[in-house]
Each structure stands twice: as structure tokens, then as C-alpha cells.
Amino acid sequence: MVNLIGTYECKADAKGRLMVPVAFKKQLSPVLQDGFVLKRSVFQSCLELYPMAEWNLLMQKINKLNRFKKKNNDFIRKFTAGVKTVEIDSAGRLLIPKDLVSFAGITKELVLSSAVNIIEIWDKDKYEKAIDDVAVDFADLAEEVMGFDDEIDQNQ
């Protein structure tokens, strides 16, 4: 499992290419040759870049869903909408397909932000707004998600 660290600003060119920050390239070096999956985020108007091994682990979970349940099929269809395999080229560039550029509202200024085992790719203005929106509720969210006192609380 890859554990990524960092938030970096960069620029996209007219073709939708961005230079992957050197710090991320170094962290991703063990998995660069395997390729990546780029997809729409479920909860935000950003993109998610999965190293192929991380994507395959996620697909193992999704493949266990019973496809004879309509809600499962609907989820799979929406979750995988716009999914693309991508590579970081020898120059360290990543090409974002036009449909995904449009979905995320990407302009020229970008933010690449680690989210444990994936990288979120944001339009800079949207990223700053999302961080500002969350900041107000973050203390309550942190307490709810991580504020358990002991093992007993974790199992409830």
C-alpha cells in the first residue's frame, strides 16, 4: 500500500497535461511502471489518481457486490463513469483527458493533494473553497471520525 504525503500546486497546459511534482514522483517511483487509474471523485468536483495496485484492491471489493441488485449496478455504473487508465510519461507529465478536465472544472492552476493512498487533482480555486468550507466543521468531524476513547468505542 502506498501512503502519500503532500499538497502541491502546479499548472496544466492547453492540452490538459501537468507536471507531476517531484516529491510525488519520488513517492510513486515503486509503482510508476504499473500505471494509474484516473476517475471522478464521488463527493467532490475533483479527480482521483489511483496507483494501479490500489485500484485493483478497490475493484476486488466492488466485484463482490451482487449485480442482481439494482442499487449495486447503479453504484458501479456511476462509480466507474469516466474512469481512464493513464501513465506518467518519461518527462514526468500526466495527461488528463478532456472529459475529466471538464468534470473537475480544471483551468490552468491546479492543486495535487495526497489522500492517504491516492492523489486528488483539483482546480486551485475549487480546492481552496473546499478546504475553507470544511474548516468550520473540521473539529466536529475529527471528533466524530477519530475521537473514540478506546477499543470498545471502535466497535460500536
Side-chain angles (χ1 to χ4, degrees), residues 111-129:
V111 172
L112 276 62
S113 180
S114 61
V116 186
N117 60 343
I118 66 171
I119 296 172
E120 293 180 338
I121 301 173
W122 290 82
D123 175 78
K124 184 179 177 185
D125 291 339
K126 289 186 178 197
Y127 177 78
E128 289 173 359
K129 184 177 183 325

Side-chain angles (χ1 to χ4, degrees), residues 9-67:
E9 293 183 13
C10 61
K11 296 182 187 320
D13 67 14
K15 295 181 181 179
R17 290 180 301 200
L18 62 95
M19 289 293 294
V20 175
V22 173
F24 274 149
K25 250 181 87 174
K26 285 180 182 176
Q27 292 176 62
L28 293 169
S29 64
V31 298
L32 275 177
Q33 71 284 353
D34 299 334
F36 299 86
V37 171
L38 188 61
K39 70 173 287 301
R40 301 171 184 188
S41 173
V42 173
F43 300 109
Q44 301 286 341
S45 60
C46 69
L47 304 176
E48 298 172 341
L49 183 69
Y50 287 78
M52 193 58 72
E54 298 295 332
W55 179 256
N56 290 337
L57 288 172
L58 183 57
M59 288 298 98
Q60 286 176 7
K61 292 179 182 178
I62 288 177
N63 281 330
K64 292 178 183 174
L65 295 174
N66 181 346
R67 293 184 185 215

Side-chain angles (χ1 to χ4, degrees), residues 123-147:
D123 175 78
K124 184 179 177 185
D125 291 339
K126 289 186 178 197
Y127 177 78
E128 289 173 359
K129 184 177 183 325
I131 293 299
D132 288 345
D133 287 350
V134 172
V136 175
D137 302 351
F138 187 67
D140 292 337
L141 178 63
E143 182 177 11
E144 184 177 333
V145 172
M146 299 298 292

Side-chain angles (χ1 to χ4, degrees), residues 96-114:
I96 302 173
K98 290 192 184 317
D99 63 322
L100 295 178
V101 167
S102 177
F103 168 82
I106 290 173
T107 56
K108 188 172 184 147
E109 303 286 324
L110 302 177
V111 172
L112 276 62
S113 180
S114 61

